[in-house]
Amino acid sequence: QVIINSTITPNMTFTKTSQKFGQWADSRANTVFGLGFPSEQQLTKFAEKFQEVKEAAKLARDRSQEKIETSSNHSQESGRETPSSTRASSVNGTDDEKASHVGPAEAHLKAENDKLKIALAQSSSNVKKWETELQTLRESNARLTTALQESAASIEHWKKQFSACKDENDQIRGKIEELEEQCNEINKEKERNAQLSRRLQELETELQDKELELEELRKQGEIIPQLMSECESVSQQLQAAEKKNKDLEEKVRTLRTEVEESKHRQTNLKTELKNFLDVLDGKIDELHDFRQGLSKLGIDN
């Protein structure tokens, strides 16, 4: 806590330098006082109270001047009335009456003159004090002007810094928006990768099914030579027993037709399997390239 001891005079001026700070100059203490407030309302209340005290000091000064003027006027009036009474006494009265009237009048005049001299000395001393206060106020005004100029320069400096910070903030917001867009693109790529992973799993499942079918076809292909040998033996038997059993010949022809169809089917299956393996190899290569691209994107990010 700081105690401020300042006598408020009618010539003082309280200046609001900002919304929460005010100051005034004390010529007697040769000091400029400043106060900061938590809010603008408290600053306004203090300024109003300062003005009330200033008006009270002005009224007190005016009353003292009126008393001085009244006393001086009273002394002048008594001075003007005394010579007339003395003249009247000198004209109309005797020498004893003159002596009796002139003595008290001169004493009264001397007392009034002494009072006037004291009042004049006080007024001259007050004038000197006021001149000193005026000079101090001028110096305080000069210091206040300098302080206001410095505060205005600091305000301009802070305004420039605020503008620079605002521009930098706009740039950072732009970068944040760009990063958000990149994050959205990355999320989209992640979704595409998830879809491709699911599709790859489906293809792997289909490939396993095709491999099982191929294994079955291979097993069937191993059985076909045995069937061929059996067909040959049956054909020989059929040739030997051609005349005896035509029904067996028809069965052999049917079996041959089935064998041909099974061969043709096996050939088609091999062709389809080869094409499917070629397509699958291409898909696997594409998936490998896509995974390399994703790994590069992850490294860049």
Side-chain angles (χ1 to χ4, degrees):
Q1 294 181 356
V2 179
I3 298 174
I4 296 176
N5 188 5
S6 174
T7 302
I8 299 175
T9 61
N11 295 324
M12 286 184 180
T13 302
F14 183 77
T15 305
K16 294 181 181 179
T17 57
S18 66
Q19 293 181 352
K20 296 182 181 180
F21 189 82
Q23 60 186 9
W24 72 94
D26 191 349
S27 59
R28 295 183 179 181
N30 196 14
T31 307
V32 177
F33 295 99
L35 285 177
F37 297 89
S39 63
E40 187 176 1
Q41 294 178 353
Q42 294 184 2
L43 175 62
T44 304
K45 289 181 180 179
F46 183 82
E48 292 175 354
K49 198 68 178 177
F50 190 93
Q51 187 66 25
E52 290 178 3
V53 176
K54 180 180 173 182
E55 293 294 334
K58 186 175 180 182
L59 289 174
R61 186 186 67 180
D62 294 338
R63 288 176 182 175
S64 63
Q65 287 180 355
E66 288 177 358
K67 288 180 180 179
I68 293 170
E69 290 176 356
T70 304
S71 62
S72 62
N73 291 331
H74 181 70
S75 63
Q76 289 176 1
E77 288 175 357
S78 63
R80 285 195 299 270
E81 290 174 356
T82 302
S84 63
S85 62
T86 54
R87 283 196 301 270
S89 63
S90 64
V91 172
N92 296 321
T94 61
D95 293 334
D96 294 333
E97 291 175 351
K98 291 178 183 180
S100 64
H101 287 289
V102 169
E106 287 180 354
H108 183 70
L109 285 173
K110 286 181 180 180
E112 293 295 332
N113 288 329
D114 291 336
K115 290 180 180 179
L116 288 173
K117 287 179 182 179
I118 293 170
L120 182 61
Q122 289 179 354
S123 63
S124 62
S125 63
N126 289 329
V127 168
K128 290 181 180 179
K129 288 181 181 179
W130 293 339
E131 288 178 353
T132 305
E133 290 181 358
L134 181 61
Q135 183 65 27
T136 305
L137 286 173
R138 287 176 180 174
E139 293 175 356
S140 299
N141 288 330
R143 289 195 295 270
L144 287 172
T145 304
T146 304
L148 287 173
Q149 290 176 356
E150 291 177 355
S151 63
S154 63
I155 287 170
E156 291 294 331
H157 177 69
W158 286 113
K159 282 182 179 179
K160 290 180 182 178
Q161 286 189 352
F162 178 75
S163 179
C165 291
K166 188 176 180 181
D167 294 336
E168 186 177 358
N169 191 12
D170 293 335
Q171 292 178 0
I172 291 172
R173 284 182 179 176
K175 290 181 181 179
I176 290 171
E177 290 177 355
E178 291 178 358
L179 291 174
E180 287 178 352
E181 291 179 356
Q182 291 179 1
C183 290
N184 292 328
E185 291 179 357
I186 290 170
N187 291 327
K188 291 179 180 178
E189 291 295 332
K190 287 181 179 179
E191 291 178 358
R192 292 175 184 173
N193 291 333
Q195 292 177 357
L196 290 173
S197 299
R198 289 193 295 270
R199 181 59 180 168
L200 179 62
Q201 291 177 357
E202 292 176 356
L203 291 174
E204 288 177 353
T205 304
E206 291 179 0
L207 180 61
Q208 290 176 359
D209 295 336
K210 293 294 182 182
E211 286 178 352
L212 292 174
E213 291 179 0
L214 181 61
E215 186 67 25
E216 291 178 358
L217 290 173
R218 285 177 181 174
K219 290 179 180 179
Q220 291 179 2
E222 292 176 355
I223 296 171
I224 288 171
Q226 294 177 1
L227 292 175
M228 292 287 292
S229 61
E230 290 178 359
C231 288
E232 289 178 356
S233 62
V234 170
S235 63
Q236 290 176 0
Q237 290 176 4
L238 286 174
Q239 288 177 359
E242 205 174 21
K243 294 179 180 180
K244 293 180 180 179
N245 198 353
K246 291 181 180 180
D247 295 331
L248 290 175
E249 187 178 3
E250 292 293 329
K251 290 181 179 180
V252 169
R253 288 179 182 177
T254 304
L255 288 172
R256 285 181 178 177
T257 303
E258 289 178 355
V259 168
E260 291 294 331
E261 289 177 357
S262 65
K263 285 183 178 180
H264 184 68
R265 190 188 308 161
Q266 185 179 6
T267 303
N268 291 331
L269 287 173
K270 286 181 179 180
T271 303
E272 289 178 0
L273 183 61
K274 185 177 180 181
N275 293 329
F276 178 76
L277 290 174
D278 293 334
V279 173
L280 185 62
D281 290 333
K283 294 290 183 180
I284 291 170
D285 292 333
E286 289 178 0
L287 182 61
H288 182 68
D289 294 335
F290 185 75
R291 286 180 177 175
Q292 288 181 352
L294 287 177
S295 63
K296 288 181 180 179
L297 286 175
I299 293 171
D300 293 335
N301 291 327

